[in-house]
Amino acid sequence: MAEFTRTQVLEEARKLAEMLANTEEIERFKQVEAKLNENQKVTKLIQKIKTLQKQAVNFQAYEKREALKRIEDEIDRLQAEIDEIPIVQEFKETQIVVNDVLQLVSGTIAREVTNKVIESTGGDPLSGKTAAADKNNVGCDH
């Protein structure tokens, strides 16, 4: 069995990252993000929210609860308005898809590494035990 250095593994990880960065899902995410950044309505609403957030910090510091509540309500209203904009909804959907792809890759790597460790010790991947664990009844309920 071939052994690899940490440097070699990290280089392969960089290659995998390059491949992922050029998938259809990531390309779609980049396109939607560009459209989102060009949307003047979204930009203006985000700027309003940032301004209100600064005011909220000041009101909180000076314990002006009524004013703080009004600001927080307005921030929530603006956030809801942003969330209703189709490009924002599309952006959030593409974020979910990209996250799912990354989770799938990460989970696959973790699972395969675990299986390779189990197999390399003569264990059984289906039971999830290495040969040593199986021999010593580690993980058994007896």
Side-chain angles (χ1 to χ4, degrees), residues 24-33 35 90 94:
E24 179 182 325
E25 294 85 355
I26 300 291
E27 287 301 321
R28 180 75 185 129
F29 173 81
K30 291 189 286 189
Q31 292 168 1
V32 172
E33 183 186 33
K35 284 182 191 175
E90 189 176 359
T94 61

Side-chain angles (χ1 to χ4, degrees), residues 52 59 65-75:
L52 290 171
F59 287 147
R65 288 174 178 62
E66 298 266 333
L68 178 59
K69 174 76 172 113
R70 284 194 308 273
I71 293 289
E72 288 173 343
D73 289 347
E74 180 62 6
I75 289 171

